[in-house]
Amino acid sequence: MRTAAVVGSGLIGTSVGLALSRRGVRVHVMDADESAARVAAARGAGVCGRPPEPVDLAVLAVPPARIAQVLAEQQHQKLARAYTDVASVKSATAQAVARSAPHRPSYVGGHPMAGSQCSGPLAAGADLFQGRAWVLTPGTETSRAALNRVLAAVALCGAVPVVMEPQAHDRAVALVSHAPHLVAVLMAARLTGAPRESLALAGQGLRDVIRIAGGDRALWSDIVTSNAPALAEVLGELAKDLEALTRALRELEVHGPGTDSAREAIAQLLFRGRTGWECVHEPEHTSGQVTLSIPLTDRLGEVDRLVSAARESGIGTDSIRLRWSQTSSRLSACLATAPLAAPDVRRRLTDNGWQVSVEPATPSL
Amino acid sequence: MRTAAVVGSGLIGTSVGLALSRRGVRVHVMDADESAARVAAARGAGVCGRPPEPVDLAVLAVPPARIAQVLAEQQHQKLARAYTDVASVKSATAQAVARSAPHRPSYVGGHPMAGSQCSGPLAAGADLFQGRAWVLTPGTETSRAALNRVLAAVALCGAVPVVMEPQAHDRAVALVSHAPHLVAVLMAARLTGAPRESLALAGQGLRDVIRIAGGDRALWSDIVTSNAPALAEVLGELAKDLEALTRALRELEVHGPGTDSAREAIAQLLFRGRTGWECVHEPEHTSGQVTLSIPLTDRLGEVDRLVSAARESGIGTDSIRLRWSQTSSRLSACLATAPLAAPDVRRRLTDNGWQVSVEPATPSL
């Protein structure tokens, strides 16, 4: 991979240019809006304008709905030996490409799982893809040469390639990206026209839930429209849960807090929500962990000092329990830690004057 | 305010104890679970156990459903001269208190708008309420003396008191706190049983949307149940939007991307979401702002240096536009800034070697 072209110098295109240029690839930045290409070039994403001869790889970072047309045009003009795109929806793109691309073996669908609330070349960064998944959706006609060029570019961007079927990709992003976006939008839409007095009570929770609702509307309209079937399925299931929830709430409204079935429905939903949350947030599993026990005196500030010391060893307050013993009238702290980390944590705490004993490991379930 | 009692030493109770103790109030920490009270005391929230004589104020930081009962018990035992609680739902509490409290003038309903994903005394902090709203819902029987004691405690905690009717409070928190929580839960619930391959594509957007779904389930079950009427209204409206959205998606699924009415429905929803997002995130208003214009050369890294310099003056990338002039073949940057800040920003940039000119102010709309 020595030369590349980036068509479209928005957030993603400019970031690809920055990442590849940093690794020594000669990148040509092209954009229908010359000003945008100039800005990307000024940031170091490459040189402005069409390359004099075909490059190794062209990355089409134009809006999803335009991919097939731009691919056809550039293949006709022999821009590159291989092509990929960065569209968030892959089945629709694959179908459009199948209808119009002059040369399908040189094209590999792609979707880097990275982004930002801000758009445009100024928000771009060479590190945008570092450690992130980058989905590739090669078809049966895709040549191995084209796939390898794209894999090389993904590696140069520091991303982790994940090969998937277009339909599986679309179902996955409907679930983990597009539905969350619309859920944020649905919640944010409730705030329009709310009394100022109510909005003044908003805290970080609401801000986090609706943060992504501030994103680029034209882009999202395009994404939502292109991924309609997969999205309709996820949101249809969500609507069923919502309907059951509002039914339970209305039941409580009419019959008061004594309605067991309504309470049970709400408890079940909260439980499933927590389970889903754990799928992504991966809380520390306490089974199989080692417990370090530390006796405490009643000295003020001692607990806070221990919490700080634990945090320095990577142990959060979630992994600390304090116990009061009725028999000895003493307080002690229990720190849960991974078996491999335990000796190091213990040594650090002992060095700082804490008296640490190791409790038997909880058996792994 | 010289003495106080905190009943219930969880996150909120311990934080109140820490905040009041820091300001010189003698705080007594009480909890049915002695271990929890000991931990709170060890952190500096006060002394453990019941005060020998009535204190100036008792803060009841027990679960919402237990407030009325605990208030009645403590008033019988003359724990304090005034009482408040910290429950997230106020109408139900007010009704329960009206039924059972021996002495209503000394009670003022309260709800500090602060919290944390973590619970318990270890997650508490004296600064938890700093600058946050603290709703008070005095009734017609509430004595001025009791209200003033609670106002003093709120001030000592660094919070901003907001007096509201219980029903208005409940509608407000249904919108800005409880509905967002359930929306996060509904989205998180969709993730249970999802293929690992799909979850691997999850990014920060999803994590933010569902972050609060990891919260204390027992507490939230209680909150949701107590605020059912107000919540049913907010979620009922949200369900209507969701229904229209899924209808539009299914229409696109059947008829393809050409369905204007479906596209329009989606665009409208995204627009309303953005408008709601602005209610809370308050983006900088560009009308009435001053534009600073800075010519750029083609030197690599120049744009990045300007962006850094602008950031140091509090100007984010959202407020920077780059323009390419076809006639002069030159790139220039436009920074939008508030009129009052403009001279200072200009001076700083000029001091750093940038050539800055001021463009005429955009008239306020």
Side-chain angles (χ1 to χ4, degrees), chain A residues 34-35 38-39 43 117 122 175 183 187-188 190 208 210-211 214 241 273-274 276-277 304 322 324 326, chain B residues 34-35 38 43 117 122 175 183 187-188 190 208 210-211 214 241 271 273-274 276-277 304 322 324 326:
Chain A
E34 191 183 349
S35 174
R38 291 276 169 184
V39 173
R43 291 217 46 210
Q117 210 178 312
L122 277 184
L175 180 66
V183 161
M187 185 61 234
R190 288 294 97 229
D208 281 357
I210 69 167
R211 182 181 62 80
D241 277 348
R274 169 74 198 195
W277 180 88
D304 289 43
L322 283 102
W324 169 253
Q326 208 82 43
Chain B
E34 189 182 350
S35 175
R38 291 276 169 184
R43 291 217 48 211
Q117 210 178 312
L122 276 183
L175 179 67
V183 161
M187 184 61 235
R190 288 294 97 229
D208 281 357
I210 69 167
R211 183 181 62 82
D241 277 349
F271 176 75
R274 169 74 197 195
W277 180 88
D304 289 42
L322 283 101
W324 170 253
Q326 208 83 42

Side-chain angles (χ1 to χ4, degrees), chain B residues 106-132:
Chain B
S106 65
Y107 166 76
V108 186
H111 180 210
M113 300 305 297
S116 161
Q117 210 178 312
C118 302
S119 53
L122 276 183
D127 290 327
L128 191 69
F129 311 106
Q130 194 62 47
R132 309 300 295 269

Side-chain angles (χ1 to χ4, degrees), chain B residues 94 98 104-108 137-144 164-166:
Chain B
R104 283 154 70 185
S106 65
Y107 166 76
V108 186
T137 55
T140 46
E141 311 92 335
T142 307
S143 76
R144 198 161 62 181
M164 293 178 89
E165 295 288 324

Side-chain angles (χ1 to χ4, degrees), chain A residues 12 27 65 74 86 90 113 145 157 159 174 191 231 244 256 258 267-268 286 295 311 328-329 360:
Chain A
I12 301 292
V27 180
Q74 299 301 345
V86 299
K90 300 263 65 88
M113 302 304 299
C157 288
L191 303 178
L231 256 173
Q268 277 290 336
T286 46
R311 193 174 292 135
S328 68
S329 286

